[in-house]
Amino acid sequence: MFCYQCQETAGCKGCTACGVCGKQPEVAVMQDLLVYVTKGLSAVTTQLRAEGKTVDKTVNHLISVNLFITITNANFDLDSITTKVTETLAVKEELLGQVQNKESLPEAALWNGSDYTEKAKTVGVLATENEDIRSLRELITYGLKGLAAYTKHANALLNDDEELDAFLQSALAKTLDDSLSVDDLVALTLEVGKYGVQGMADLDAANTTAYGNPEITTVDIGVRKNPAILISGHDLKDLEMLLEQTKDTGVDVYTHSEMLPAHYYPFFKKYPHFAGNYGNAWWKQKEEFESFNGPVLMTTNCIVPPKDSYKDRLWTTGAAGYPGCKHIDAPYGEAKDFSAIIEQAKKCPPPTEIETGSIIGGFAHEQVFALADTVVEAVKSGAIRKFVVMAGCDGRAKSRSYYQEFAEKLPKDTVILTAGCAKYKYNKLDLGDIGGIPRVLDAGQCNDSYSLALIALKLKEVFGLNDVNDLPIVYNISWYEQKAVIVLLALLYLGVKNIHLGPTLPAFLSPNMAKVLVDSFGIAGITNVDDDMRIFGL
Ligand code: FS2
Ligand code: SF4
């Protein structure tokens, strides 16, 4: 195996024996094969569109979910990944029969599926020899994986965007095209960012249409006395189905990690048994799932390989999977049946209290726009000197304590804008407020980084600036997996410069490609808190 798609990759170079995430080598190579056949299918759909034919949205959904399955910490289940390879090859064979001009199709579109294991060993990252081309192909592929994850969530809310799917598939196909130069691939990378903005806008529209605009909300972090289900990951439709099915059962529902922002949506407030948020970011789940006592439903990443003590209480759905854990799914647009989880919950003790009190969030675009006058006044008066975007991911690396220290040492006239699980490094610190505006404004999940971009664009308009980089906003972003890659590419597309990315720069950036990002966009890493404070002018 060779995998270097996430921040925790071994030695900042690549996982080769086993994933730091726990991914076994046979799973890693089968994921490589799934990406390969998905690219082959994408080459076929792209050719069909070029010939004027339509592609059914079930094929678009298959491509998105396949990519999502291969995102870090989403799916560790060899059987389900292998099944997806088979399903994808079958769909591809059928569509291939409709292609008139097969001459330009790559080998991946024509491979007939003989001997998965042998093939899988030959189609991974290292199959591309030139390190710059490899770097760009992987950067594009990872950005598309992140985009596919957001597309999948929008699809679950019956939101489809054929233009976006057509782009996603054509870009995937282009990562197989040996005729493309470094310059071509750099241009394609930026185009992925453009569609990243569109994908996040689609998901934002899907979420807010279904559940209303997030609003300032206080979320309990303590526990009640009822048995309960913990739901984690990012899929709000799964949460809706679970809340509906647990109504009047005596079973409460708590959120974990990236599901916390669900509390900010008006729609979910009507459920009295939606009890609060339990625990912290994904990487603390071994302790927190243990003490939760009840079943846990993972709707997406991030799964940490479970301890035996709670493995029979861990359930997966959608793109998520873990061998030995039960998986629940339903056809597109149909309700999933969570009754078995609810029955299990009824037999479990209530959660053990690990924290008490509450946290505040819900500062997505409409809520911040509603406060615009107060915010603008605070900036004009100097009460707020700078905004610090600290969105992104949390992770288990000790070096990430940098982000807590950074938040603690920020001057009192600064406000943190956050989204994603990165917030758990500082959302329980008492950082106070500025004239009633909390110093940590949480917009939501990682995909809600879109809100942060809209807020920046709104401030640019209000202050009559020509360049978003003239705003008093600095970017100190922590990344972990591939959804952070699409967020980064989206910000670059929107013209944001001088983003600092940590705790380490991606291993998949070759020295030449890292230089392109530094020279063109001012991307930089992090050093230590005190020096970085000076660099940021804080
Ligand atoms: Fe955090 Fe993991 Fe949100 Fe990532 S819970 S690192 O999936 O996408 O963010
Ligand atoms: Fe390693 Fe990250 Fe790949 Fe897991 S996802 S195998 S930790 S690089």
Side-chain angles (χ1 to χ4, degrees):
M1 70 173 281
F2 181 85
C3 182
Y4 63 174
Q5 66 175 351
C6 85
Q7 188 273 327
E8 289 187 356
T9 193
C12 248
K13 289 194 162 58
C15 296
T16 52
C18 177
V20 173
C21 58
K23 188 161 74 176
Q24 297 301 308
E26 59 276 16
V27 173
V29 295
M30 197 54 72
Q31 288 188 357
D32 288 344
L33 189 65
L34 183 57
V35 170
Y36 177 76
V37 297
T38 303
K39 288 181 174 181
L41 172 59
S42 296
V44 171
T45 58
T46 301
Q47 182 60 28
L48 282 175
R49 287 188 177 96
E51 293 176 5
K53 303 189 178 84
T54 50
V55 175
D56 192 85
K57 67 182 175 188
T58 56
V59 179
N60 296 338
H61 296 172
L62 176 65
I63 288 169
S64 293
V65 82
N66 283 357
L67 291 185
F68 200 167
I69 282 170
T70 70
I71 283 183
T72 301
N73 291 341
N75 199 314
F76 297 81
D77 184 22
L78 182 61
D79 289 348
S80 70
I81 298 164
T82 310
T83 302
K84 278 290 178 202
V85 172
T86 304
E87 187 188 340
T88 305
L89 283 167
V91 171
K92 190 263 300 176
E93 276 308 308
E94 196 196 321
L95 293 181
L96 192 58
Q98 300 172 25
V99 173
Q100 272 163 356
N101 179 8
K102 297 190 179 71
E103 273 163 32
S104 58
L105 290 176
E107 199 259 352
L110 304 171
W111 181 59
N112 65 7
S114 57
D115 201 342
Y116 288 7
T117 315
E118 277 313 300
K119 187 69 178 173
K121 290 180 194 156
T122 67
V123 298
V125 171
L126 301 177
T128 304
E129 283 173 17
N130 179 300
E131 75 165 350
D132 294 332
I133 299 283
R134 182 197 307 148
S135 176
L136 285 163
R137 283 179 173 177
E138 295 309 315
L139 173 59
I140 290 164
T141 303
Y142 304 152
L144 295 173
K145 287 186 183 191
L147 179 56
Y150 295 155
T151 305
K152 160 88 173 59
H153 293 308
N155 292 162
L157 292 166
L158 308 183
N159 175 307
D160 282 270
D161 183 341
E162 161 63 23
E163 186 207 343
L164 184 141
D165 283 310
F167 168 78
L168 187 149
Q169 292 159 32
S170 72
L172 269 182
K174 282 178 185 166
T175 63
L176 298 169
D177 185 346
D178 291 329
S179 73
L180 296 185
S181 66
V182 164
D183 287 347
D184 295 333
L185 291 170
V186 168
L188 182 59
T189 305
L190 291 183
E191 211 184 348
V192 174
K194 174 181 161 195
Y195 281 93
V197 176
Q198 187 166 323
M200 283 192 275
D202 285 345
L203 179 52
D204 183 80
N207 284 340
T208 55
T209 301
Y211 306 122
N213 275 297
E215 55 194 16
I216 302 177
T217 305
T218 302
V219 181
D220 285 339
I221 57 173
V223 297
R224 299 180 186 174
K225 294 192 167 38
N226 300 321
I229 298 169
L230 189 61
I231 180 168
S232 192
H234 305 70
D235 199 294
L236 297 181
K237 185 65 190 175
D238 288 331
L239 172 67
E240 181 191 341
M241 289 186 271
L242 184 64
L243 285 169
E244 268 303 306
Q245 293 174 35
T246 43
K247 261 191 329 199
D248 304 320
T249 61
V251 172
D252 289 337
V253 173
Y254 294 77
T255 53
H256 187 261
S257 190
E258 275 282 65
M259 199 57 89
L260 156 67
H263 292 277
Y264 310 154
Y265 289 88
F267 179 91
F268 295 115
K269 293 179 179 169
K270 68 182 180 198
Y271 296 102
H273 63 296
F274 193 28
N277 188 71
Y278 188 85
N280 295 278
W282 64 273
W283 60 277
K284 293 211 175 149
Q285 64 189 249
K286 276 194 174 164
E287 302 79 52
E288 293 170 355
F289 289 4
E290 179 92 64
S291 63
F292 185 75
N293 301 328
V296 180
L297 175 61
M298 297 298 308
T299 65
T300 67
N301 57 336
C302 284
I303 299 173
V304 175
K307 287 160 66 173
D308 286 343
S309 55
Y310 64 82
K311 194 172 173 187
D312 68 327
R313 291 192 276 114
L314 191 69
W315 301 69
T316 60
T317 185
Y322 197 87
C325 293
K326 288 179 268 320
H327 185 86
I328 294 175
D329 241 321
Y332 175 69
E334 292 182 24
K336 297 177 184 177
D337 178 3
F338 292 133
S339 56
I341 309 182
I342 298 165
E343 286 313 307
Q344 186 184 50
K346 287 178 182 169
K347 296 185 196 108
C348 294
T352 304
E353 180 180 279
I354 53 172
E355 291 175 300
T356 56
S358 61
I359 46 180
I360 193 165
F363 296 91
H365 50 87
E366 291 311 301
Q367 179 63 83
V368 175
F369 293 172
L371 297 170
D373 289 348
T374 317
V375 172
V376 169
E377 206 34 61
V379 174
K380 283 186 176 158
S381 72
I384 295 178
R385 187 166 53 90
K386 243 173 206 168
F387 295 95
V388 185
V389 174
M390 289 180 72
C393 316
D394 198 7
R396 59 201 134 197
K398 290 221 166 31
S399 56
R400 286 179 186 264
S401 61
Y402 164 97
Y403 294 102
Q404 176 172 340
E405 189 190 340
F406 194 89
E408 285 169 331
K409 285 191 171 169
L410 276 172
K412 298 276 178 277
D413 55 0
T414 57
V415 170
I416 295 174
L417 301 176
T418 192
C421 61
K423 64 169 102 17
Y424 286 98
K425 279 283 187 279
Y426 39 79
N427 68 345
K428 292 169 185 172
L429 303 175
D430 185 13
L431 296 180
D433 65 283
I434 298 176
I437 303 166
R439 288 195 52 235
V440 179
L441 298 182
D442 177 23
Q445 299 179 337
C446 46
N447 43 291
D448 296 308
S449 300
Y450 173 70
S451 260
L452 305 184
L454 287 194
I455 291 165
L457 293 173
K458 182 75 172 177
L459 289 174
K460 182 183 121 185
E461 178 193 315
V462 171
F463 288 109
L465 301 171
N466 292 322
D467 186 342
V468 76
N469 296 297
D470 293 337
L471 285 165
I473 304 181
V474 293
Y475 294 80
N476 193 4
I477 289 177
S478 53
W479 81 286
Y480 173 60
E481 42 82 338
Q482 299 77 52
K483 290 180 232 173
V485 176
I486 193 63
V487 171
L488 176 71
L489 295 179
L491 290 175
L492 297 184
Y493 171 75
L494 290 171
V496 176
K497 293 215 158 67
N498 304 321
I499 295 171
H500 288 246
L501 197 61
T504 52
L505 288 180
F508 55 80
L509 290 179
S510 68
N512 285 333
M513 290 313 108
K515 188 171 181 322
V516 169
L517 288 181
V518 171
D519 292 349
S520 310
F521 301 102
I523 296 262
I526 58 170
T527 60
N528 62 74
V529 170
D530 294 329
D531 287 345
D532 287 351
M533 286 280 168
R534 277 190 289 279
I535 292 168
F536 281 118
L538 292 165

